[in-house]
Coordinates of all heavy atoms in Angstrom, one line a residue:
M154 N 24.2 0.3 -8.6 CA 22.9 0.5 -9.3 C 23.2 1.2 -10.7 O 23.9 2.2 -10.7 CB 22.0 1.4 -8.4 CG 20.6 1.5 -8.9 SD 19.6 2.3 -7.6 CE 18.5 3.0 -8.7
K155 N 22.7 0.6 -11.7 CA 23.0 1.1 -13.0 C 21.9 2.2 -13.4 O 20.8 2.1 -12.9 CB 23.0 0.0 -14.1 CG 21.6 -0.6 -14.3 CD 21.7 -1.7 -15.4 CE 20.3 -2.2 -15.8 NZ 20.3 -3.0 -16.9
P156 N 22.3 3.1 -14.2 CA 21.3 4.2 -14.6 C 20.2 3.6 -15.4 O 20.3 2.6 -16.1 CB 22.2 5.2 -15.4 CG 23.5 4.6 -15.5 CD 23.6 3.3 -14.8
E157 N 19.0 4.3 -15.3 CA 17.8 3.9 -16.1 C 18.0 4.2 -17.5 O 18.6 5.2 -17.9 CB 16.6 4.6 -15.6 CG 16.1 4.1 -14.2 CD 14.9 4.9 -13.8 OE1 14.9 6.1 -13.7 OE2 13.8 4.3 -13.6
T158 N 17.5 3.4 -18.4 CA 17.5 3.7 -19.8 C 16.3 4.6 -20.1 O 15.4 4.8 -19.3 CB 17.2 2.4 -20.6 OG1 15.9 1.9 -20.3 CG2 18.2 1.3 -20.3
P159 N 16.4 5.3 -21.2 CA 15.2 6.2 -21.6 C 13.9 5.5 -21.5 O 12.9 6.0 -21.1 CB 15.6 6.7 -23.0 CG 17.1 6.7 -23.0 CD 17.4 5.4 -22.2
E160 N 13.9 4.2 -22.0 CA 12.6 3.5 -22.0 C 12.2 3.2 -20.5 O 11.0 3.4 -20.3 CB 12.9 2.1 -22.7 CG 11.6 1.3 -22.7 CD 11.8 -0.1 -23.4 OE1 13.0 -0.5 -23.6 OE2 10.8 -0.7 -23.8
E161 N 13.1 2.9 -19.7 CA 12.7 2.7 -18.3 C 12.2 3.9 -17.6 O 11.2 3.9 -16.8 CB 13.9 2.1 -17.5 CG 14.3 0.7 -17.9 CD 15.6 0.3 -17.3 OE1 16.5 1.1 -17.1 OE2 15.8 -1.0 -17.1
I162 N 12.8 5.0 -17.9 CA 12.3 6.3 -17.4 C 10.9 6.6 -17.9 O 10.1 7.0 -17.1 CB 13.3 7.5 -17.8 CG1 14.6 7.3 -17.1 CG2 12.7 8.8 -17.5 CD1 15.8 8.2 -17.6
Y163 N 10.7 6.4 -19.2 CA 9.4 6.7 -19.7 C 8.3 5.8 -19.1 O 7.2 6.3 -18.7 CB 9.4 6.4 -21.2 CG 8.0 6.5 -21.8 CD1 7.4 7.8 -22.1 CD2 7.3 5.4 -22.1 CE1 6.1 7.8 -22.6 CE2 6.0 5.4 -22.6 CZ 5.4 6.7 -22.9 OH 4.1 6.8 -23.4
I164 N 8.6 4.5 -18.9 CA 7.7 3.6 -18.3 C 7.4 4.0 -16.8 O 6.2 4.0 -16.4 CB 8.2 2.1 -18.4 CG1 8.2 1.7 -19.8 CG2 7.4 1.2 -17.5 CD1 8.9 0.4 -20.1
R165 N 8.4 4.3 -16.1 CA 8.2 4.8 -14.7 C 7.3 6.0 -14.6 O 6.4 6.1 -13.8 CB 9.6 5.0 -14.0 CG 9.4 5.4 -12.6 CD 10.8 5.6 -11.9 NE 11.8 6.3 -12.6 CZ 11.9 7.6 -12.8 NH1 11.0 8.4 -12.3 NH2 12.9 8.1 -13.5
E166 N 7.7 7.0 -15.5 CA 6.9 8.2 -15.5 C 5.4 8.0 -15.9 O 4.5 8.6 -15.3 CB 7.6 9.3 -16.4 CG 8.9 9.8 -15.7 CD 9.6 10.8 -16.6 OE1 9.2 11.0 -17.8 OE2 10.6 11.3 -16.2
E167 N 5.2 7.2 -16.9 CA 3.9 6.9 -17.3 C 3.1 6.2 -16.2 O 1.9 6.5 -16.0 CB 3.9 6.0 -18.6 CG 2.5 5.8 -19.2 CD 1.8 7.0 -19.6 OE1 2.5 8.0 -20.0 OE2 0.6 7.0 -19.6
A168 N 3.7 5.2 -15.5 CA 3.1 4.6 -14.4 C 2.7 5.5 -13.3 O 1.6 5.4 -12.7 CB 4.0 3.5 -13.8
M169 N 3.6 6.5 -13.0 CA 3.3 7.5 -12.0 C 2.1 8.4 -12.4 O 1.2 8.7 -11.6 CB 4.5 8.4 -11.7 CG 5.6 7.7 -11.0 SD 5.1 7.0 -9.4 CE 5.0 8.5 -8.4
R170 N 2.0 8.8 -13.7 CA 0.9 9.6 -14.2 C -0.4 8.8 -14.0 O -1.4 9.3 -13.6 CB 1.1 9.9 -15.7 CG 1.9 11.2 -15.9 CD 1.9 11.6 -17.3 NE 2.6 10.7 -18.2 CZ 3.9 10.8 -18.4 NH1 4.7 11.6 -17.8 NH2 4.5 9.9 -19.3
E171 N -0.4 7.5 -14.4 CA -1.6 6.7 -14.2 C -2.0 6.5 -12.8 O -3.2 6.6 -12.4 CB -1.3 5.3 -14.9 CG -1.3 5.3 -16.4 CD -1.1 4.0 -17.0 OE1 -1.3 3.0 -16.3 OE2 -0.7 4.0 -18.2
L172 N -1.0 6.3 -11.9 CA -1.3 6.2 -10.5 C -1.9 7.5 -10.0 O -3.0 7.4 -9.3 CB 0.0 5.9 -9.7 CG -0.1 5.9 -8.2 CD1 -1.1 4.8 -7.7 CD2 1.3 5.7 -7.5
F173 N -1.4 8.6 -10.3 CA -2.0 9.9 -9.7 C -3.3 10.2 -10.4 O -4.2 10.8 -9.7 CB -0.9 11.0 -9.8 CG 0.1 10.9 -8.8 CD1 1.4 10.5 -9.1 CD2 -0.2 11.2 -7.4 CE1 2.3 10.3 -8.1 CE2 0.7 11.1 -6.4 CZ 2.0 10.6 -6.8
A174 N -3.5 9.8 -11.6 CA -4.8 9.9 -12.2 C -5.9 9.1 -11.5 O -7.0 9.5 -11.2 CB -4.8 9.6 -13.7
A175 N -5.5 7.9 -11.2 CA -6.4 7.0 -10.4 C -6.6 7.5 -9.0 O -7.8 7.5 -8.6 CB -5.7 5.6 -10.3
I176 N -5.6 8.0 -8.3 CA -5.8 8.6 -7.0 C -6.7 9.8 -7.1 O -7.6 10.0 -6.2 CB -4.5 8.9 -6.4 CG1 -3.7 7.6 -6.0 CG2 -4.6 9.8 -5.1 CD1 -2.3 7.8 -5.5
G177 N -6.7 10.5 -8.2 CA -7.5 11.7 -8.3 C -9.0 11.3 -8.4 O -9.9 12.2 -8.3
Q178 N -9.3 10.1 -8.7 CA -10.7 9.6 -8.8 C -11.3 9.3 -7.4 O -12.5 9.0 -7.3 CB -10.8 8.4 -9.7 CG -10.4 8.7 -11.1 CD -11.2 9.8 -11.8 OE1 -12.4 9.8 -11.8 NE2 -10.4 10.8 -12.3
L179 N -10.5 9.2 -6.4 CA -10.9 8.9 -5.1 C -11.5 10.1 -4.4 O -11.3 11.3 -4.8 CB -9.8 8.4 -4.2 CG -9.0 7.2 -4.7 CD1 -7.8 6.9 -3.9 CD2 -9.9 6.0 -4.8
T180 N -12.3 9.9 -3.3 CA -12.7 11.1 -2.5 C -11.5 11.7 -1.9 O -10.5 11.1 -1.7 CB -13.7 10.6 -1.4 OG1 -13.0 9.9 -0.4 CG2 -14.9 9.8 -2.0
K181 N -11.7 13.0 -1.5 CA -10.6 13.7 -0.8 C -10.1 13.0 0.4 O -8.9 12.9 0.7 CB -11.0 15.2 -0.5 CG -11.3 16.0 -1.7 CD -10.1 16.2 -2.6 CE -10.4 17.0 -3.8 NZ -9.4 17.0 -4.8
I182 N -11.0 12.5 1.2 CA -10.7 11.7 2.4 C -9.8 10.5 2.1 O -8.8 10.2 2.7 CB -11.9 11.4 3.2 CG1 -12.6 12.6 3.8 CG2 -11.5 10.4 4.4 CD1 -13.9 12.4 4.4
Q183 N -10.3 9.7 1.1 CA -9.6 8.5 0.7 C -8.2 8.9 0.1 O -7.2 8.2 0.4 CB -10.3 7.8 -0.4 CG -11.5 7.0 0.1 CD -12.4 6.4 -1.0 OE1 -12.5 6.9 -2.1 NE2 -13.0 5.3 -0.6
Q184 N -8.1 10.0 -0.6 CA -6.8 10.4 -1.2 C -5.9 10.7 0.0 O -4.7 10.3 0.0 CB -7.0 11.7 -2.0 CG -7.6 11.5 -3.3 CD -7.8 12.8 -4.1 OE1 -7.1 13.8 -3.8 NE2 -8.8 12.8 -5.0
R185 N -6.3 11.5 0.9 CA -5.5 12.0 2.0 C -5.0 10.7 2.8 O -3.8 10.6 3.2 CB -6.3 12.9 2.9 CG -5.5 13.4 4.1 CD -6.3 14.4 5.0 NE -7.5 13.8 5.6 CZ -8.7 14.2 5.4 NH1 -9.0 15.2 4.6 NH2 -9.7 13.5 6.0
R186 N -5.9 9.8 3.1 CA -5.5 8.6 3.9 C -4.6 7.7 3.2 O -3.7 7.2 3.8 CB -6.8 7.9 4.4 CG -7.6 8.8 5.4 CD -8.9 8.1 5.8 NE -9.5 9.0 6.8 CZ -10.8 8.8 7.2 NH1 -11.5 7.7 6.7 NH2 -11.3 9.6 8.1
L187 N -4.9 7.5 1.9 CA -4.0 6.6 1.1 C -2.6 7.2 1.0 O -1.6 6.4 1.1 CB -4.7 6.4 -0.3 CG -4.1 5.3 -1.1 CD1 -4.7 4.0 -0.7 CD2 -4.4 5.5 -2.6
I188 N -2.5 8.4 0.7 CA -1.2 9.1 0.6 C -0.5 9.0 1.9 O 0.7 8.7 2.0 CB -1.4 10.5 0.1 CG1 -1.8 10.5 -1.4 CG2 -0.1 11.3 0.3 CD1 -2.2 11.8 -2.0
A189 N -1.2 9.3 3.0 CA -0.5 9.2 4.4 C 0.0 7.8 4.6 O 1.1 7.7 5.1 CB -1.5 9.7 5.4
Y190 N -0.8 6.8 4.3 CA -0.4 5.5 4.6 C 0.8 5.0 3.7 O 1.8 4.5 4.1 CB -1.6 4.5 4.4 CG -1.3 3.1 4.8 CD1 -1.1 2.8 6.1 CD2 -1.2 2.1 3.9 CE1 -0.9 1.4 6.5 CE2 -0.9 0.8 4.2 CZ -0.8 0.5 5.5 OH -0.5 -0.8 5.9
Y191 N 0.6 5.1 2.3 CA 1.6 4.5 1.4 C 2.8 5.4 1.1 O 3.8 4.9 0.8 CB 0.9 4.1 0.1 CG 0.1 2.9 0.3 CD1 -1.3 2.9 0.4 CD2 0.7 1.6 0.3 CE1 -2.1 1.7 0.6 CE2 0.0 0.5 0.5 CZ -1.4 0.5 0.6 OH -2.1 -0.6 0.8
F192 N 2.6 6.7 1.1 CA 3.7 7.6 0.7 C 4.4 8.3 1.8 O 5.5 8.6 1.8 CB 3.2 8.7 -0.3 CG 2.7 8.1 -1.6 CD1 1.4 7.8 -1.9 CD2 3.6 7.9 -2.6 CE1 1.0 7.3 -3.1 CE2 3.2 7.3 -3.8 CZ 1.9 7.1 -4.1
E193 N 3.6 8.5 2.9 CA 4.2 9.2 4.1 C 4.6 8.2 5.2 O 5.2 8.6 6.2 CB 3.3 10.2 4.6 CG 3.0 11.3 3.6 CD 2.0 12.3 4.0 OE1 1.4 12.2 5.1 OE2 1.6 13.2 3.2
G194 N 4.2 6.9 5.0 CA 4.6 5.9 6.0 C 3.9 5.9 7.3 O 4.4 5.3 8.3
M195 N 2.8 6.5 7.4 CA 2.0 6.5 8.6 C 1.2 5.2 8.7 O 0.8 4.6 7.7 CB 1.0 7.7 8.6 CG 1.8 9.1 8.6 SD 0.6 10.4 8.6 CE -0.1 10.4 10.2
N196 N 0.9 4.8 9.9 CA 0.0 3.6 10.1 C -1.4 4.1 10.3 O -1.7 5.3 10.5 CB 0.5 2.7 11.2 CG 0.5 3.3 12.6 OD1 -0.4 4.0 12.9 ND2 1.6 3.0 13.3
F197 N -2.4 3.2 10.3 CA -3.8 3.6 10.4 C -4.1 4.3 11.7 O -4.8 5.2 11.8 CB -4.7 2.3 10.3 CG -4.7 1.7 8.9 CD1 -4.9 0.4 8.7 CD2 -4.4 2.5 7.8 CE1 -4.9 -0.2 7.5 CE2 -4.4 1.9 6.5 CZ -4.6 0.6 6.4
R198 N -3.5 3.8 12.8 CA -3.7 4.5 14.1 C -3.2 5.9 14.1 O -3.8 6.8 14.6 CB -3.0 3.7 15.2 CG -3.7 2.4 15.5 CD -3.3 1.8 16.9 NE -3.8 0.5 17.0 CZ -5.1 0.2 17.2 NH1 -6.0 1.1 17.3 NH2 -5.5 -1.1 17.4
Q199 N -2.0 6.2 13.5 CA -1.5 7.5 13.4 C -2.4 8.4 12.6 O -2.6 9.6 13.0 CB -0.1 7.5 12.8 CG 1.0 6.9 13.7 CD 2.3 6.7 13.0 OE1 2.3 6.3 11.8 NE2 3.4 6.9 13.7
I200 N -2.9 7.9 11.5 CA -3.8 8.7 10.6 C -5.1 9.0 11.4 O -5.6 10.1 11.4 CB -4.1 7.9 9.3 CG1 -2.8 7.7 8.5 CG2 -5.2 8.7 8.5 CD1 -2.9 6.7 7.4
A201 N -5.6 8.0 12.1 CA -6.9 8.2 12.8 C -6.7 9.3 13.9 O -7.5 10.1 14.1 CB -7.3 6.9 13.4
E202 N -5.5 9.2 14.6 CA -5.2 10.2 15.7 C -5.1 11.6 15.1 O -5.7 12.5 15.6 CB -3.9 9.8 16.3 CG -3.8 10.1 17.8 CD -2.5 9.5 18.4 OE1 -2.6 8.3 18.8 OE2 -1.5 10.2 18.5
M203 N -4.4 11.7 14.0 CA -4.2 13.0 13.3 C -5.6 13.6 12.9 O -5.8 14.8 13.0 CB -3.4 12.8 12.1 CG -3.1 14.1 11.3 SD -2.1 13.7 9.8 CE -3.3 12.9 8.7
E204 N -6.5 12.7 12.4 CA -7.8 13.2 11.9 C -8.9 13.2 13.0 O -10.0 13.7 12.8 CB -8.3 12.3 10.8 CG -7.4 12.4 9.6 CD -7.9 11.6 8.4 OE1 -9.0 10.9 8.5 OE2 -7.3 11.7 7.3
G205 N -8.6 12.7 14.2 CA -9.6 12.7 15.2 C -10.7 11.7 15.0 O -11.9 12.0 15.4
V206 N -10.5 10.6 14.3 CA -11.5 9.6 14.0 C -11.0 8.2 14.6 O -9.8 8.1 15.0 CB -11.8 9.4 12.5 CG1 -12.3 10.8 11.9 CG2 -10.5 9.0 11.7
N207 N -11.8 7.2 14.5 CA -11.4 5.9 15.0 C -10.6 5.1 14.0 O -10.7 5.4 12.8 CB -12.6 5.1 15.6 CG -13.6 4.6 14.6 OD1 -13.2 4.2 13.5 ND2 -14.8 4.7 14.9
H208 N -9.8 4.2 14.5 CA -8.9 3.4 13.6 C -9.7 2.7 12.5 O -9.3 2.6 11.4 CB -8.2 2.4 14.6 CG -7.4 1.4 13.9 ND1 -7.8 0.2 13.6 CD2 -6.1 1.5 13.5 CE1 -6.9 -0.5 13.0 NE2 -5.8 0.3 12.9
G209 N -10.9 2.1 12.9 CA -11.7 1.4 11.9 C -12.1 2.2 10.7 O -12.2 1.7 9.6
S210 N -12.4 3.5 10.9 CA -12.8 4.3 9.8 C -11.7 4.5 8.8 O -11.9 4.5 7.6 CB -13.2 5.7 10.3 OG -14.3 5.7 11.2
V211 N -10.5 4.6 9.3 CA -9.3 4.8 8.4 C -9.1 3.5 7.7 O -8.9 3.5 6.5 CB -8.1 5.2 9.2 CG1 -6.9 5.3 8.3 CG2 -8.3 6.6 9.8
T212 N -9.1 2.4 8.4 CA -8.9 1.1 7.8 C -9.9 0.8 6.6 O -9.5 0.5 5.5 CB -9.0 0.0 8.8 OG1 -8.1 0.2 9.8 CG2 -8.8 -1.4 8.2
Q213 N -11.2 1.1 6.9 CA -12.2 0.9 5.9 C -12.1 1.8 4.7 O -12.2 1.4 3.6 CB -13.6 1.1 6.5 CG -14.1 -0.1 7.4 CD -15.4 0.2 8.0 OE1 -15.8 1.3 8.3 NE2 -16.2 -0.9 8.1
S214 N -11.7 3.0 5.0 CA -11.5 4.0 3.9 C -10.4 3.6 3.0 O -10.5 3.7 1.8 CB -11.2 5.4 4.6 OG -11.0 6.4 3.6
V215 N -9.2 3.2 3.5 CA -8.1 2.8 2.7 C -8.4 1.6 1.9 O -8.1 1.5 0.7 CB -6.8 2.6 3.6 CG1 -5.7 2.0 2.7 CG2 -6.4 4.0 4.1
K216 N -9.1 0.6 2.5 CA -9.5 -0.6 1.8 C -10.5 -0.3 0.7 O -10.3 -0.8 -0.4 CB -10.2 -1.6 2.8 CG -9.2 -2.3 3.7 CD -9.8 -3.4 4.5 CE -8.8 -4.1 5.4 NZ -9.4 -5.1 6.3
A217 N -11.4 0.6 0.9 CA -12.3 1.0 -0.2 C -11.6 1.7 -1.3 O -11.9 1.5 -2.5 CB -13.4 1.9 0.4
A218 N -10.6 2.5 -0.9 CA -9.8 3.2 -1.9 C -9.0 2.2 -2.8 O -9.0 2.4 -4.0 CB -8.8 4.2 -1.2
L219 N -8.4 1.2 -2.2 CA -7.7 0.2 -2.9 C -8.6 -0.5 -3.9 O -8.2 -0.8 -5.0 CB -7.0 -0.7 -2.0 CG -5.8 -0.1 -1.2 CD1 -5.3 -1.1 -0.1 CD2 -4.7 0.4 -2.1
K220 N -9.8 -0.8 -3.4 CA -10.8 -1.5 -4.3 C -11.1 -0.7 -5.5 O -11.2 -1.2 -6.6 CB -12.0 -1.8 -3.4 CG -13.0 -2.7 -4.2 CD -14.2 -3.1 -3.3 CE -15.2 -4.0 -4.0 NZ -16.3 -4.4 -3.1
K221 N -11.3 0.6 -5.3 CA -11.6 1.5 -6.4 C -10.4 1.6 -7.4 O -10.6 1.6 -8.6 CB -11.9 2.9 -5.9 CG -13.3 3.2 -5.4 CD -13.4 4.7 -5.0 CE -14.7 5.0 -4.3 NZ -14.8 6.4 -4.0
L222 N -9.2 1.6 -6.8 CA -8.0 1.7 -7.6 C -7.8 0.5 -8.5 O -7.4 0.5 -9.6 CB -6.8 1.9 -6.8 CG -6.6 3.3 -6.1 CD1 -5.4 3.4 -5.3 CD2 -6.6 4.4 -7.2
K223 N -8.2 -0.7 -7.9 CA -8.1 -1.9 -8.7 C -9.0 -1.9 -9.9 O -8.7 -2.5 -10.9 CB -8.4 -3.1 -7.8 CG -7.3 -3.5 -6.8 CD -7.7 -4.7 -6.0 CE -6.6 -4.9 -5.0 NZ -6.9 -6.0 -4.1
G224 N -10.1 -1.2 -9.8 CA -11.1 -1.2 -10.9 C -10.8 0.0 -11.9 O -11.5 0.1 -12.9
F225 N -9.8 0.8 -11.6 CA -9.5 2.0 -12.4 C -8.9 1.6 -13.8 O -8.0 0.8 -13.8 CB -8.6 3.0 -11.7 CG -8.3 4.2 -12.5 CD1 -9.2 5.2 -12.6 CD2 -7.1 4.3 -13.1 CE1 -8.9 6.4 -13.3 CE2 -6.8 5.4 -13.9 CZ -7.7 6.5 -13.9
K226 N -9.4 2.2 -14.8 CA -8.8 2.0 -16.2 C -8.4 3.4 -16.7 O -9.2 4.3 -16.7 CB -9.9 1.4 -17.1 CG -10.4 0.1 -16.7 CD -9.3 -1.0 -16.8 CE -9.9 -2.3 -16.4 NZ -8.9 -3.2 -15.9
A227 N -7.2 3.5 -17.0 CA -6.6 4.8 -17.5 C -7.1 5.1 -18.9 O -7.5 4.3 -19.7 CB -5.1 4.8 -17.5

C-alpha cells in the first residue's frame, strides 16, 4: 500500500468533515443508530436489543437517516 499524497489526505479529511456535518443534522436517535450500524458494525437486531425497541423501528430510522443524508448539501 503506497502512502497517501497531501492532496489525497486533504480530500479524505474534507469528506470526513462533510460526513460528520451531515450526520450532525440528523436526530440524536438517527445519529446513534446510524453510527452503531455503519461505524460500529452492529446489525439492526443488535441495535434494537440494545435500545429495547423493535427491529422495524431501527430499520425505519436508519433508512430515514440515509434519505436525509442524500439530500444534505454542505
Side-chain angles (χ1 to χ4, degrees):
M154 191 169 148
K155 69 176 188 173
E157 289 180 298
T158 66
E160 181 181 16
E161 290 168 332
I162 293 169
Y163 174 80
I164 291 169
R165 180 178 41 79
E166 288 176 354
E167 187 61 28
M169 291 301 289
R170 276 190 289 278
E171 288 179 20
L172 174 62
F173 284 103
I176 290 173
Q178 300 301 307
L179 302 173
T180 67
K181 295 296 180 193
I182 292 171
Q183 288 174 329
Q184 288 177 23
R185 182 178 64 239
R186 292 174 178 173
L187 192 79
I188 289 168
Y190 185 73
Y191 285 102
F192 294 95
E193 297 172 5
M195 296 176 73
N196 64 41
F197 293 150
R198 290 198 188 285
Q199 291 170 322
I200 297 166
E202 213 172 275
M203 177 182 73
E204 294 185 357
V206 299
N207 69 43
H208 173 266
S210 295
V211 174
T212 302
Q213 286 181 321
S214 180
V215 172
K216 285 182 179 180
L219 291 174
K220 187 174 181 179
K221 281 185 187 178
L222 290 177
K223 285 181 183 176
F225 179 79
K226 301 291 181 207

